[in-house]
Amino acid sequence: MTVVYVSDVLERVLDAGKTRAAVRNHCKVILRGVPQLPETELEDCLHYIAGKCMGYPAIWLVEQALDLNEEDIGSVIDRASGPLFISLTTSVTDDFLDGDERMSPGHMMLVYLLIFEALRRPQWFFGRQEDVFLREVYPLIPGFVNEGKPQPEPQTLARLKRMAQAGERRIGAFHETIAHAMTCDRLSPERCNDLVRLAGKFGDWCAQLDDIFDIEVDIEAGANTTRPIALLQGRHARLARAIAARDVSACGTAIQAEDFQSELIAAARERLLDLRDQSEQAGYKRLSDRLTAASERVEGAIRATRRKIEATRFVPEMAQPMTV
């Protein structure tokens, strides 16, 4: 049985192991005051949740953009604790709603501990932080509520692509809240807004990568408004019918086709290079260099991960979903 996490793939592509470890270590603060008995179990649950891509990639991006050293990173992570902890709660609930068998009472208890710790932060709703949530996160609510529900009428390919773009905001919007908290007291409002927007686009790209790994799971769930599935539906009417029927096996050959996967890889790499160019234009040289390096690793990472998924995906009893 092969279990693959997009957060693990991102760590390798971004070379973000130190940042991910720093975020995991920081998140241990939520366990203060927890009685000793369940602490070990909660630490294991927290290690998993705190390493998810709803948190550390946003911090990695700001770290690179501002050329922070190891001493700086601790203080800016602390500053962003409120949005970081709330963002990570979405990973827990996402796994729970997906019916992930690995979810335990310990994981669900982390939702409360993360919220309690976020509320301890005095800057939580000071200044413009609330505005970022209202503007970027609240518009996502209808999409979360309606995901997987039958559509009242057939969707055109153009509309599916627009819906797919909107769906990517589920990571990008939360990345913006984290980036804002990290930078609002370090940069001018204009410079802060520019970096927040870049973090949002980067989060959208992380969601695109996740969607590439989630094709089969999304088809089964009826969550068909992603870029890869929209591309698949546009290839042939029979594929559109199979996707509407949630018939993964009928799509297997098309999903594994070299030209289809090459198109997905090219789109992901092109988007990452566009972010590289935007970073360079904004004067974030270190970030630009790191994104260049990531763009050189992303194809191999996608191909290797897809091979792992496909090796077990079409053996029903061994199938495992990707998780954020």
Side-chain angles (χ1 to χ4, degrees):
M1 182 183 297
T2 301
V3 180
V4 183
Y5 298 104
V6 69
S7 49
D8 292 337
V9 178
L10 280 167
E11 179 184 338
R12 296 191 295 272
V13 169
L14 303 175
D15 189 21
K18 288 184 178 179
T19 305
R20 194 183 191 191
V23 172
R24 279 173 160 154
N25 185 62
H26 176 75
C27 287
K28 291 178 182 178
V29 70
I30 74 169
L31 299 180
R32 61 184 175 183
V34 174
Q36 186 66 35
L37 183 61
E39 186 175 332
T40 301
E41 179 184 351
L42 286 178
E43 284 180 347
D44 292 342
C45 296
L46 183 61
H47 181 81
Y48 164 66
I49 293 299
K52 298 272 241 162
C53 68
M54 293 302 294
Y56 83 86
I59 290 169
W60 175 88
L61 180 123
V62 174
E63 177 189 5
Q64 306 309 313
L66 300 186
D67 203 7
L68 302 177
N69 58 36
E70 291 186 13
E71 294 179 2
D72 292 330
I73 191 63
S75 64
V76 293
I77 293 176
D78 185 68
R79 176 71 184 178
S81 290
L84 169 64
F85 293 155
I86 295 299
S87 184
L88 290 174
T89 66
T90 69
S91 286
V92 184
T93 54
D94 184 58
D95 286 353
F96 176 77
L97 291 171
D98 284 345
D100 191 328
E101 295 179 356
R102 291 176 294 275
M103 286 293 96
S104 69
H107 290 97
M108 296 310 299
M109 182 51 60
L110 289 182
V111 173
Y112 297 99
L113 293 176
L114 287 164
I115 292 172
F116 292 159
E117 190 63 35
L119 292 174
R120 286 193 174 104
R121 305 291 157 158
Q123 79 278 17
W124 179 227
F125 275 127
F126 283 15
R128 293 176 293 128
Q129 189 66 42
E130 182 178 11
D131 294 338
V132 178
F133 270 84
L134 292 174
R135 184 179 67 248
E136 302 299 339
V137 174
Y138 274 48
L140 302 178
I141 292 173
F144 277 105
V145 172
N146 294 322
E147 185 173 358
K149 290 183 178 179
Q151 297 296 323
E153 57 187 24
Q155 305 295 326
T156 65
L157 192 58
R159 187 165 190 271
L160 281 173
K161 289 180 178 178
R162 289 195 299 271
M163 293 169 70
Q165 186 174 9
E168 289 170 354
R169 300 299 298 152
R170 68 188 186 274
I171 296 180
F174 283 97
H175 276 200
E176 290 191 14
T177 68
I178 295 169
H180 181 270
M182 292 177 73
T183 59
C184 63
D185 61 349
R186 296 177 66 96
L187 302 175
S188 68
E190 296 78 12
R191 194 72 170 154
C192 173
N193 289 338
D194 287 344
L195 187 50
V196 165
R197 282 192 290 269
L198 189 61
K201 292 178 181 178
F202 179 67
D204 294 348
W205 177 79
C206 293
Q208 180 183 5
L209 198 65
D210 184 44
D211 289 339
I212 291 173
F213 303 145
D214 263 352
I215 296 171
E216 295 87 352
V217 174
D218 286 340
I219 291 173
E220 287 182 336
N224 297 333
T225 54
T226 70
R227 287 177 189 254
I229 295 180
L231 178 62
L232 200 62
Q233 291 190 77
R235 295 203 142 207
H236 200 284
R238 68 172 179 79
L239 290 172
R241 291 192 295 270
I243 289 167
R246 306 188 182 191
D247 185 352
V248 176
S249 60
C251 302
T253 300
I255 291 171
Q256 297 176 78
E258 171 60 28
D259 61 335
F260 174 68
Q261 296 202 4
S262 292
E263 190 168 353
L264 293 179
I265 290 167
R269 189 169 186 274
E270 180 180 353
R271 202 166 174 186
L272 195 57
L273 288 172
D274 184 53
L275 286 168
R276 185 273 311 273
D277 293 342
Q278 293 178 49
S279 300
E280 186 171 9
Q281 291 166 10
Y284 299 127
K285 180 66 168 60
R286 177 176 162 186
L287 175 60
S288 175
D289 290 344
R290 296 297 294 275
L291 290 175
T292 297
S295 72
E296 295 168 354
R297 290 189 284 263
V298 72
E299 176 174 354
I302 291 175
R303 289 192 183 280
T305 305
R306 284 298 318 171
R307 283 196 297 269
K308 287 183 180 180
I309 295 167
E310 289 158 10
T312 57
R313 175 62 257 188
F314 299 106
V315 180
E317 67 272 16
M318 297 180 68
Q320 285 292 318
M322 288 287 295
T323 56
V324 176

